[in-house]
PDB file of all heavy atoms in Angstrom:
ATOM      1  N   ARG A   1     -84.802 252.381  59.899  1.00  0.00           N
ATOM      2  CA  ARG A   1     -85.686 253.388  59.319  1.00  0.00           C
ATOM      3  C   ARG A   1     -84.901 254.659  59.024  1.00  0.00           C
ATOM      4  O   ARG A   1     -84.629 255.444  59.909  1.00  0.00           O
ATOM      5  CB  ARG A   1     -86.824 253.704  60.296  1.00  0.00           C
ATOM      6  CG  ARG A   1     -87.910 254.572  59.723  1.00  0.00           C
ATOM      7  CD  ARG A   1     -88.709 253.834  58.652  1.00  0.00           C
ATOM      8  NE  ARG A   1     -89.313 252.630  59.186  1.00  0.00           N
ATOM      9  CZ  ARG A   1     -90.481 252.613  59.828  1.00  0.00           C
ATOM     10  NH1 ARG A   1     -91.147 253.727  60.012  1.00  0.00           N
ATOM     11  NH2 ARG A   1     -90.983 251.471  60.272  1.00  0.00           N
ATOM     12  N   SER A   2     -84.518 254.858  57.753  1.00  0.00           N
ATOM     13  CA  SER A   2     -83.767 256.057  57.394  1.00  0.00           C
ATOM     14  C   SER A   2     -84.667 257.268  57.291  1.00  0.00           C
ATOM     15  O   SER A   2     -84.226 258.408  57.400  1.00  0.00           O
ATOM     16  CB  SER A   2     -83.030 255.840  56.065  1.00  0.00           C
ATOM     17  OG  SER A   2     -83.959 255.543  55.041  1.00  0.00           O
ATOM     18  N   GLY A   3     -85.950 257.053  57.068  1.00  0.00           N
ATOM     19  CA  GLY A   3     -86.889 258.161  56.990  1.00  0.00           C
ATOM     20  C   GLY A   3     -88.295 257.637  57.187  1.00  0.00           C
ATOM     21  O   GLY A   3     -88.646 256.593  56.644  1.00  0.00           O
ATOM     22  N   ALA A   4     -89.097 258.338  57.957  1.00  0.00           N
ATOM     23  CA  ALA A   4     -90.438 257.844  58.258  1.00  0.00           C
ATOM     24  C   ALA A   4     -91.480 258.895  57.913  1.00  0.00           C
ATOM     25  O   ALA A   4     -91.336 260.059  58.297  1.00  0.00           O
ATOM     26  CB  ALA A   4     -90.541 257.495  59.741  1.00  0.00           C
ATOM     27  N   PRO A   5     -92.536 258.529  57.185  1.00  0.00           N
ATOM     28  CA  PRO A   5     -93.587 259.506  56.886  1.00  0.00           C
ATOM     29  C   PRO A   5     -94.447 259.742  58.117  1.00  0.00           C
ATOM     30  O   PRO A   5     -94.995 258.808  58.689  1.00  0.00           O
ATOM     31  CB  PRO A   5     -94.384 258.830  55.766  1.00  0.00           C
ATOM     32  CG  PRO A   5     -94.186 257.370  56.005  1.00  0.00           C
ATOM     33  CD  PRO A   5     -92.799 257.226  56.563  1.00  0.00           C
ATOM     34  N   LEU A   6     -94.556 260.975  58.523  1.00  0.00           N
ATOM     35  CA  LEU A   6     -95.405 261.310  59.643  1.00  0.00           C
ATOM     36  C   LEU A   6     -96.811 261.636  59.149  1.00  0.00           C
ATOM     37  O   LEU A   6     -97.084 261.615  57.958  1.00  0.00           O
ATOM     38  CB  LEU A   6     -94.814 262.481  60.428  1.00  0.00           C
ATOM     39  CG  LEU A   6     -93.396 262.254  60.977  1.00  0.00           C
ATOM     40  CD1 LEU A   6     -93.000 263.390  61.902  1.00  0.00           C
ATOM     41  CD2 LEU A   6     -93.284 260.919  61.696  1.00  0.00           C
ATOM     42  N   SER A   7     -97.693 261.950  60.054  1.00  0.00           N
ATOM     43  CA  SER A   7     -99.096 262.151  59.698  1.00  0.00           C
ATOM     44  C   SER A   7     -99.302 263.364  58.797  1.00  0.00           C
ATOM     45  O   SER A   7    -100.293 263.435  58.069  1.00  0.00           O
ATOM     46  CB  SER A   7     -99.951 262.294  60.956  1.00  0.00           C
ATOM     47  OG  SER A   7     -99.529 263.418  61.721  1.00  0.00           O
ATOM     48  N   SER A   8     -98.388 264.322  58.858  1.00  0.00           N
ATOM     49  CA  SER A   8     -98.524 265.525  58.045  1.00  0.00           C
ATOM     50  C   SER A   8     -97.197 266.260  57.986  1.00  0.00           C
ATOM     51  O   SER A   8     -96.282 266.003  58.784  1.00  0.00           O
ATOM     52  CB  SER A   8     -99.593 266.455  58.627  1.00  0.00           C
ATOM     53  OG  SER A   8     -99.177 266.954  59.895  1.00  0.00           O
ATOM     54  N   VAL A   9     -97.094 267.211  57.061  1.00  0.00           N
ATOM     55  CA  VAL A   9     -95.912 268.061  56.978  1.00  0.00           C
ATOM     56  C   VAL A   9     -95.802 268.902  58.246  1.00  0.00           C
ATOM     57  O   VAL A   9     -94.705 269.139  58.760  1.00  0.00           O
ATOM     58  CB  VAL A   9     -95.986 268.964  55.730  1.00  0.00           C
ATOM     59  CG1 VAL A   9     -94.849 269.985  55.738  1.00  0.00           C
ATOM     60  CG2 VAL A   9     -95.929 268.119  54.456  1.00  0.00           C
ATOM     61  N   ALA A  10     -96.941 269.326  58.779  1.00  0.00           N
ATOM     62  CA  ALA A  10     -96.945 270.123  60.006  1.00  0.00           C
ATOM     63  C   ALA A  10     -96.371 269.329  61.174  1.00  0.00           C
ATOM     64  O   ALA A  10     -95.630 269.869  62.008  1.00  0.00           O
ATOM     65  CB  ALA A  10     -98.361 270.581  60.326  1.00  0.00           C
ATOM     66  N   ALA A  11     -96.705 268.040  61.255  1.00  0.00           N
ATOM     67  CA  ALA A  11     -96.189 267.191  62.334  1.00  0.00           C
ATOM     68  C   ALA A  11     -94.675 267.064  62.233  1.00  0.00           C
ATOM     69  O   ALA A  11     -93.964 267.103  63.246  1.00  0.00           O
ATOM     70  CB  ALA A  11     -96.840 265.821  62.284  1.00  0.00           C
ATOM     71  N   ALA A  12     -94.174 266.912  61.009  1.00  0.00           N
ATOM     72  CA  ALA A  12     -92.733 266.815  60.808  1.00  0.00           C
ATOM     73  C   ALA A  12     -92.052 268.128  61.179  1.00  0.00           C
ATOM     74  O   ALA A  12     -90.954 268.145  61.738  1.00  0.00           O
ATOM     75  CB  ALA A  12     -92.425 266.450  59.357  1.00  0.00           C
ATOM     76  N   GLY A  13     -92.709 269.239  60.896  1.00  0.00           N
ATOM     77  CA  GLY A  13     -92.164 270.537  61.256  1.00  0.00           C
ATOM     78  C   GLY A  13     -92.073 270.726  62.757  1.00  0.00           C
ATOM     79  O   GLY A  13     -91.088 271.265  63.279  1.00  0.00           O
ATOM     80  N   THR A  14     -93.098 270.273  63.461  1.00  0.00           N
ATOM     81  CA  THR A  14     -93.087 270.363  64.924  1.00  0.00           C
ATOM     82  C   THR A  14     -91.948 269.545  65.504  1.00  0.00           C
ATOM     83  O   THR A  14     -91.219 270.002  66.398  1.00  0.00           O
ATOM     84  CB  THR A  14     -94.429 269.861  65.502  1.00  0.00           C
ATOM     85  OG1 THR A  14     -95.477 270.718  65.053  1.00  0.00           O
ATOM     86  CG2 THR A  14     -94.396 269.845  67.021  1.00  0.00           C
ATOM     87  N   LEU A  15     -91.771 268.321  65.008  1.00  0.00           N
ATOM     88  CA  LEU A  15     -90.686 267.467  65.503  1.00  0.00           C
ATOM     89  C   LEU A  15     -89.330 268.088  65.188  1.00  0.00           C
ATOM     90  O   LEU A  15     -88.416 268.043  66.022  1.00  0.00           O
ATOM     91  CB  LEU A  15     -90.798 266.073  64.884  1.00  0.00           C
ATOM     92  CG  LEU A  15     -89.750 265.054  65.326  1.00  0.00           C
ATOM     93  CD1 LEU A  15     -89.791 264.858  66.837  1.00  0.00           C
ATOM     94  CD2 LEU A  15     -89.965 263.727  64.614  1.00  0.00           C
ATOM     95  N   ALA A  16     -89.198 268.667  64.016  1.00  0.00           N
ATOM     96  CA  ALA A  16     -87.934 269.308  63.636  1.00  0.00           C
ATOM     97  C   ALA A  16     -87.591 270.437  64.604  1.00  0.00           C
ATOM     98  O   ALA A  16     -86.430 270.591  65.008  1.00  0.00           O
ATOM     99  CB  ALA A  16     -88.029 269.841  62.211  1.00  0.00           C
ATOM    100  N   ARG A  17     -88.584 271.225  64.988  1.00  0.00           N
ATOM    101  CA  ARG A  17     -88.340 272.325  65.926  1.00  0.00           C
ATOM    102  C   ARG A  17     -87.953 271.793  67.301  1.00  0.00           C
ATOM    103  O   ARG A  17     -87.083 272.358  67.981  1.00  0.00           O
ATOM    104  CB  ARG A  17     -89.577 273.215  66.019  1.00  0.00           C
ATOM    105  CG  ARG A  17     -89.821 274.068  64.779  1.00  0.00           C
ATOM    106  CD  ARG A  17     -90.912 275.096  65.009  1.00  0.00           C
ATOM    107  NE  ARG A  17     -92.228 274.493  65.204  1.00  0.00           N
ATOM    108  CZ  ARG A  17     -93.038 274.166  64.212  1.00  0.00           C
ATOM    109  NH1 ARG A  17     -92.690 274.371  62.946  1.00  0.00           N
ATOM    110  NH2 ARG A  17     -94.237 273.638  64.462  1.00  0.00           N
ATOM    111  N   GLN A  18     -88.589 270.698  67.734  1.00  0.00           N
ATOM    112  CA  GLN A  18     -88.265 270.122  69.038  1.00  0.00           C
ATOM    113  C   GLN A  18     -86.836 269.579  69.057  1.00  0.00           C
ATOM    114  O   GLN A  18     -86.092 269.786  70.022  1.00  0.00           O
ATOM    115  CB  GLN A  18     -89.248 268.994  69.371  1.00  0.00           C
ATOM    116  CG  GLN A  18     -90.655 269.464  69.679  1.00  0.00           C
ATOM    117  CD  GLN A  18     -91.599 268.294  69.884  1.00  0.00           C
ATOM    118  OE1 GLN A  18     -91.783 267.463  68.986  1.00  0.00           O
ATOM    119  NE2 GLN A  18     -92.205 268.222  71.066  1.00  0.00           N
ATOM    120  N   VAL A  19     -86.448 268.873  68.007  1.00  0.00           N
ATOM    121  CA  VAL A  19     -85.098 268.315  67.928  1.00  0.00           C
ATOM    122  C   VAL A  19     -84.068 269.436  67.872  1.00  0.00           C
ATOM    123  O   VAL A  19     -83.034 269.387  68.553  1.00  0.00           O
ATOM    124  CB  VAL A  19     -84.972 267.388  66.699  1.00  0.00           C
ATOM    125  CG1 VAL A  19     -83.521 267.003  66.459  1.00  0.00           C
ATOM    126  CG2 VAL A  19     -85.824 266.138  66.885  1.00  0.00           C
ATOM    127  N   ALA A  20     -84.342 270.468  67.084  1.00  0.00           N
ATOM    128  CA  ALA A  20     -83.417 271.596  66.983  1.00  0.00           C
ATOM    129  C   ALA A  20     -83.262 272.295  68.333  1.00  0.00           C
ATOM    130  O   ALA A  20     -82.159 272.717  68.705  1.00  0.00           O
ATOM    131  CB  ALA A  20     -83.915 272.583  65.928  1.00  0.00           C
ATOM    132  N   ALA A  21     -84.357 272.407  69.080  1.00  0.00           N
ATOM    133  CA  ALA A  21     -84.304 273.042  70.399  1.00  0.00           C
ATOM    134  C   ALA A  21     -83.449 272.222  71.356  1.00  0.00           C
ATOM    135  O   ALA A  21     -82.688 272.785  72.161  1.00  0.00           O
ATOM    136  CB  ALA A  21     -85.713 273.205  70.954  1.00  0.00           C
ATOM    137  N   ALA A  22     -83.558 270.896  71.275  1.00  0.00           N
ATOM    138  CA  ALA A  22     -82.748 270.034  72.137  1.00  0.00           C
ATOM    139  C   ALA A  22     -81.262 270.204  71.827  1.00  0.00           C
ATOM    140  O   ALA A  22     -80.427 270.291  72.738  1.00  0.00           O
ATOM    141  CB  ALA A  22     -83.162 268.578  71.956  1.00  0.00           C
ATOM    142  N   VAL A  23     -80.933 270.260  70.548  1.00  0.00           N
ATOM    143  CA  VAL A  23     -79.536 270.444  70.144  1.00  0.00           C
ATOM    144  C   VAL A  23     -79.028 271.805  70.601  1.00  0.00           C
ATOM    145  O   VAL A  23     -77.896 271.940  71.076  1.00  0.00           O
ATOM    146  CB  VAL A  23     -79.395 270.291  68.614  1.00  0.00           C
ATOM    147  CG1 VAL A  23     -77.986 270.665  68.158  1.00  0.00           C
ATOM    148  CG2 VAL A  23     -79.729 268.859  68.193  1.00  0.00           C
ATOM    149  N   ALA A  24     -79.881 272.813  70.489  1.00  0.00           N
ATOM    150  CA  ALA A  24     -79.498 274.161  70.921  1.00  0.00           C
ATOM    151  C   ALA A  24     -79.218 274.195  72.424  1.00  0.00           C
ATOM    152  O   ALA A  24     -78.405 275.002  72.888  1.00  0.00           O
ATOM    153  CB  ALA A  24     -80.591 275.158  70.561  1.00  0.00           C
ATOM    154  N   GLU A  25     -79.860 273.319  73.178  1.00  0.00           N
ATOM    155  CA  GLU A  25     -79.650 273.249  74.632  1.00  0.00           C
ATOM    156  C   GLU A  25     -78.446 272.401  75.008  1.00  0.00           C
ATOM    157  O   GLU A  25     -78.110 272.274  76.188  1.00  0.00           O
ATOM    158  CB  GLU A  25     -80.889 272.666  75.313  1.00  0.00           C
ATOM    159  CG  GLU A  25     -82.061 273.621  75.394  1.00  0.00           C
ATOM    160  CD  GLU A  25     -83.168 273.037  76.255  1.00  0.00           C
ATOM    161  OE1 GLU A  25     -83.812 272.051  75.825  1.00  0.00           O
ATOM    162  OE2 GLU A  25     -83.394 273.561  77.364  1.00  0.00           O
ATOM    163  N   GLY A  26     -77.802 271.791  74.010  1.00  0.00           N
ATOM    164  CA  GLY A  26     -76.598 271.022  74.293  1.00  0.00           C
ATOM    165  C   GLY A  26     -76.666 269.537  74.027  1.00  0.00           C
ATOM    166  O   GLY A  26     -75.682 268.820  74.210  1.00  0.00           O
ATOM    167  N   ALA A  27     -77.829 269.032  73.597  1.00  0.00           N
ATOM    168  CA  ALA A  27     -77.943 267.606  73.274  1.00  0.00           C
ATOM    169  C   ALA A  27     -77.221 267.314  71.960  1.00  0.00           C
ATOM    170  O   ALA A  27     -77.000 268.211  71.144  1.00  0.00           O
ATOM    171  CB  ALA A  27     -79.407 267.203  73.160  1.00  0.00           C
ATOM    172  N   THR A  28     -76.851 266.066  71.761  1.00  0.00           N
ATOM    173  CA  THR A  28     -76.203 265.643  70.522  1.00  0.00           C
ATOM    174  C   THR A  28     -77.176 264.797  69.714  1.00  0.00           C
ATOM    175  O   THR A  28     -77.795 263.876  70.258  1.00  0.00           O
ATOM    176  CB  THR A  28     -74.944 264.810  70.818  1.00  0.00           C
ATOM    177  OG1 THR A  28     -74.018 265.614  71.566  1.00  0.00           O
ATOM    178  CG2 THR A  28     -74.280 264.345  69.533  1.00  0.00           C
ATOM    179  N   LEU A  29     -77.333 265.116  68.439  1.00  0.00           N
ATOM    180  CA  LEU A  29     -78.232 264.374  67.561  1.00  0.00           C
ATOM    181  C   LEU A  29     -77.433 263.443  66.672  1.00  0.00           C
ATOM    182  O   LEU A  29     -76.521 263.871  65.966  1.00  0.00           O
ATOM    183  CB  LEU A  29     -79.050 265.338  66.695  1.00  0.00           C
ATOM    184  CG  LEU A  29     -79.929 264.697  65.617  1.00  0.00           C
ATOM    185  CD1 LEU A  29     -81.015 263.833  66.251  1.00  0.00           C
ATOM    186  CD2 LEU A  29     -80.539 265.762  64.705  1.00  0.00           C
ATOM    187  N   HIS A  30     -77.784 262.152  66.711  1.00  0.00           N
ATOM    188  CA  HIS A  30     -77.175 261.148  65.838  1.00  0.00           C
ATOM    189  C   HIS A  30     -78.224 260.780  64.793  1.00  0.00           C
ATOM    190  O   HIS A  30     -79.262 260.204  65.128  1.00  0.00           O
ATOM    191  CB  HIS A  30     -76.776 259.909  66.642  1.00  0.00           C
ATOM    192  CG  HIS A  30     -75.988 260.222  67.876  1.00  0.00           C
ATOM    193  ND1 HIS A  30     -74.606 260.213  67.912  1.00  0.00           N
ATOM    194  CD2 HIS A  30     -76.398 260.580  69.131  1.00  0.00           C
ATOM    195  CE1 HIS A  30     -74.196 260.528  69.137  1.00  0.00           C
ATOM    196  NE2 HIS A  30     -75.261 260.753  69.884  1.00  0.00           N
ATOM    197  N   THR A  31     -77.972 261.107  63.536  1.00  0.00           N
ATOM    198  CA  THR A  31     -78.963 260.852  62.498  1.00  0.00           C
ATOM    199  C   THR A  31     -78.292 260.750  61.144  1.00  0.00           C
ATOM    200  O   THR A  31     -77.105 261.079  60.994  1.00  0.00           O
ATOM    201  CB  THR A  31     -80.037 261.963  62.476  1.00  0.00           C
ATOM    202  OG1 THR A  31     -81.099 261.594  61.594  1.00  0.00           O
ATOM    203  CG2 THR A  31     -79.439 263.291  62.012  1.00  0.00           C
ATOM    204  N   GLU A  32     -79.035 260.309  60.172  1.00  0.00           N
ATOM    205  CA  GLU A  32     -78.577 260.249  58.787  1.00  0.00           C
ATOM    206  C   GLU A  32     -79.722 260.706  57.897  1.00  0.00           C
ATOM    207  O   GLU A  32     -80.886 260.424  58.176  1.00  0.00           O
ATOM    208  CB  GLU A  32     -78.161 258.829  58.395  1.00  0.00           C
ATOM    209  CG  GLU A  32     -76.947 258.312  59.147  1.00  0.00           C
ATOM    210  CD  GLU A  32     -76.618 256.873  58.782  1.00  0.00           C
ATOM    211  OE1 GLU A  32     -77.415 256.268  58.034  1.00  0.00           O
ATOM    212  OE2 GLU A  32     -75.598 256.347  59.253  1.00  0.00           O
ATOM    213  N   GLY A  33     -79.407 261.401  56.832  1.00  0.00           N
ATOM    214  CA  GLY A  33     -80.450 261.849  55.928  1.00  0.00           C
ATOM    215  C   GLY A  33     -81.046 263.171  56.366  1.00  0.00           C
ATOM    216  O   GLY A  33     -80.678 263.734  57.401  1.00  0.00           O
ATOM    217  N   GLU A  34     -81.951 263.667  55.562  1.00  0.00           N
ATOM    218  CA  GLU A  34     -82.584 264.939  55.837  1.00  0.00           C
ATOM    219  C   GLU A  34     -84.100 264.805  55.740  1.00  0.00           C
ATOM    220  O   GLU A  34     -84.621 263.898  55.099  1.00  0.00           O
ATOM    221  CB  GLU A  34     -82.104 266.005  54.849  1.00  0.00           C
ATOM    222  CG  GLU A  34     -80.605 266.287  54.920  1.00  0.00           C
ATOM    223  CD  GLU A  34     -80.187 267.330  53.904  1.00  0.00           C
ATOM    224  OE1 GLU A  34     -81.034 267.734  53.077  1.00  0.00           O
ATOM    225  OE2 GLU A  34     -79.007 267.728  53.933  1.00  0.00           O
ATOM    226  N   ARG A  35     -84.775 265.735  56.381  1.00  0.00           N
ATOM    227  CA  ARG A  35     -86.235 265.756  56.309  1.00  0.00           C
ATOM    228  C   ARG A  35     -86.681 266.117  54.901  1.00  0.00           C
ATOM    229  O   ARG A  35     -86.131 267.010  54.270  1.00  0.00           O
ATOM    230  CB  ARG A  35     -86.778 266.784  57.309  1.00  0.00           C
ATOM    231  CG  ARG A  35     -88.286 266.952  57.215  1.00  0.00           C
ATOM    232  CD  ARG A  35     -88.763 268.151  57.979  1.00  0.00           C
ATOM    233  NE  ARG A  35     -90.088 268.550  57.542  1.00  0.00           N
ATOM    234  CZ  ARG A  35     -90.639 269.721  57.777  1.00  0.00           C
ATOM    235  NH1 ARG A  35     -89.973 270.634  58.451  1.00  0.00           N
ATOM    236  NH2 ARG A  35     -91.841 269.995  57.339  1.00  0.00           N
ATOM    237  N   ARG A  36     -87.700 265.387  54.419  1.00  0.00           N
ATOM    238  CA  ARG A  36     -88.297 265.675  53.107  1.00  0.00           C
ATOM    239  C   ARG A  36     -89.804 265.717  53.289  1.00  0.00           C
ATOM    240  O   ARG A  36     -90.450 264.679  53.372  1.00  0.00           O
ATOM    241  CB  ARG A  36     -87.914 264.603  52.084  1.00  0.00           C
ATOM    242  CG  ARG A  36     -86.445 264.580  51.714  1.00  0.00           C
ATOM    243  CD  ARG A  36     -86.100 263.454  50.762  1.00  0.00           C
ATOM    244  NE  ARG A  36     -86.197 262.144  51.414  1.00  0.00           N
ATOM    245  CZ  ARG A  36     -87.191 261.289  51.226  1.00  0.00           C
ATOM    246  NH1 ARG A  36     -88.193 261.597  50.409  1.00  0.00           N
ATOM    247  NH2 ARG A  36     -87.193 260.126  51.847  1.00  0.00           N
ATOM    248  N   GLY A  37     -90.354 266.907  53.396  1.00  0.00           N
ATOM    249  CA  GLY A  37     -91.784 267.029  53.595  1.00  0.00           C
ATOM    250  C   GLY A  37     -92.212 266.384  54.896  1.00  0.00           C
ATOM    251  O   GLY A  37     -91.738 266.739  55.967  1.00  0.00           O
ATOM    252  N   ALA A  38     -93.091 265.387  54.792  1.00  0.00           N
ATOM    253  CA  ALA A  38     -93.571 264.692  55.984  1.00  0.00           C
ATOM    254  C   ALA A  38     -92.653 263.545  56.389  1.00  0.00           C
ATOM    255  O   ALA A  38     -92.881 262.898  57.411  1.00  0.00           O
ATOM    256  CB  ALA A  38     -94.979 264.156  55.748  1.00  0.00           C
ATOM    257  N   HIS A  39     -91.617 263.280  55.607  1.00  0.00           N
ATOM    258  CA  HIS A  39     -90.668 262.214  55.938  1.00  0.00           C
ATOM    259  C   HIS A  39     -89.590 262.773  56.858  1.00  0.00           C
ATOM    260  O   HIS A  39     -88.916 263.748  56.524  1.00  0.00           O
ATOM    261  CB  HIS A  39     -90.019 261.650  54.676  1.00  0.00           C
ATOM    262  CG  HIS A  39     -90.950 260.818  53.857  1.00  0.00           C
ATOM    263  ND1 HIS A  39     -90.899 259.451  53.823  1.00  0.00           N
ATOM    264  CD2 HIS A  39     -91.975 261.177  53.054  1.00  0.00           C
ATOM    265  CE1 HIS A  39     -91.843 258.989  53.029  1.00  0.00           C
ATOM    266  NE2 HIS A  39     -92.510 260.012  52.554  1.00  0.00           N
TER     267      HIS A  39
END
């Protein structure tokens, strides 16, 4: 799954903030692609 549509753009925004916070705390993110709206 290179990109998954979430229930809303707001839901994707919330997840983006959570992932960014984890990285800011020192976690490493392994991913490909970028967020596009709700994807």
Side-chain angles (χ1 to χ4, degrees):
R1 189 69 59 85
S2 59
L6 302 188
S7 61
S8 66
V9 172
T14 296
L15 181 59
R17 288 190 293 274
Q18 290 175 300
V19 170
V23 172
E25 285 188 291
T28 299
L29 174 64
H30 311 265
T31 189
E32 295 177 354
E34 298 179 354
R35 175 192 161 197
R36 293 177 291 104
H39 288 256

